[in-house]
Amino acid sequence: MTEKVILGGGCFWCTEAVYLRIPGVLSVRSGYAGGSTKNPTYKEICTGTTGHAEVIEIEFDPEVITYSKILEVFWISHDPTTLNRQGNDVGTQYRSVIFYLNEKQKDLAVESKRKHAFMFPDPIVTEISPAPEFYPAEDYHQNYFTSNPQNPYCHYVIFPKLKKLGLKL
């Protein structure tokens, strides 16, 4: 039996590239969640007015990787102390967020946030909220890094992140 989790750690191209390389992760879909616009488009998300965050929906095998381990990767793969920002990506659509799908995930997320706070000089601002409706992003956003390694963003942002985390390029 598989489980799912919805996470936002800035640009979904980055978070997707990270989690696709983690053993036990079966699939990752880039998308949008947390806002009021139904079936938003990337163009709408980029305005910062929809309330949605760029997120990924991860399906994983809990026999291979635990939810807690997925959260551990989450904390080290982005900066959870910057409000509505990851690097040069600025806006509410780039906020750090954990959308939990049940009370167990909520409790583990709260505990994980507390447990990892020592890693950062500033307070963690990651939102932990019930999972809203997840809207898949357009097809060209799915598996973006693998399909577009020549893209300058991939070269200058995603490659170094994967290397820092010790994940295969």
Side-chain angles (χ1 to χ4, degrees):
M1 182 120 148
T2 64
E3 292 183 31
K4 289 187 177 181
V5 59
I6 300 172
L7 303 173
C11 173
F12 50 32
W13 297 345
C14 290
T15 52
E16 179 191 65
V18 167
Y19 282 98
L20 282 173
R21 287 158 175 77
I22 304 292
V25 169
L26 305 174
S27 67
V28 181
R29 286 194 308 165
S30 291
Y32 317 111
S36 57
T37 303
K38 300 280 187 210
N39 298 308
T41 65
Y42 184 67
K43 186 175 180 180
E44 292 170 324
I45 295 297
C46 288
T47 67
T49 61
T50 66
H52 287 290
E54 286 192 15
V55 297
I56 55 171
E57 179 187 63
I58 301 167
E59 184 176 8
F60 65 99
D61 180 347
E63 302 266 331
V64 179
I65 187 168
T66 64
Y67 177 74
S68 294
K69 182 65 176 172
I70 284 175
L71 292 179
E72 185 178 315
V73 172
F74 176 74
W75 299 121
I76 62 174
S77 65
H78 79 296
D79 182 354
T81 68
T82 54
L83 187 62
N84 302 327
R85 174 185 203 125
Q86 286 300 305
N88 290 329
D89 295 328
V90 179
T92 57
Q93 67 270 32
Y94 300 113
R95 68 187 180 272
S96 178
V97 60
I98 300 169
F99 288 123
Y100 58 86
L101 290 123
N102 55 50
E103 288 301 308
K104 181 180 177 188
Q105 282 190 356
K106 175 187 177 183
D107 293 344
L108 289 169
V110 169
E111 175 61 19
S112 183
K113 180 178 177 180
R114 185 198 60 75
K115 179 181 169 188
H116 288 87
F118 80 92
M119 295 172 50
F120 306 98
D122 297 315
I124 292 175
V125 297
T126 302
E127 169 190 340
I128 299 175
S129 299
E133 186 164 358
F134 172 84
Y135 298 99
E138 296 82 351
D139 286 345
Y140 69 92
H141 289 297
Q142 308 303 328
N143 206 11
Y144 190 86
F145 175 71
T146 301
S147 301
N148 300 279
Q150 75 290 351
N151 179 298
Y153 186 91
C154 293
H155 185 75
Y156 291 108
V157 178
I158 300 174
F159 270 117
K161 183 177 293 238
L162 295 176
K163 189 173 180 181
K164 174 186 137 190
L165 295 169
L167 298 171
K168 69 177 183 172
L169 304 175

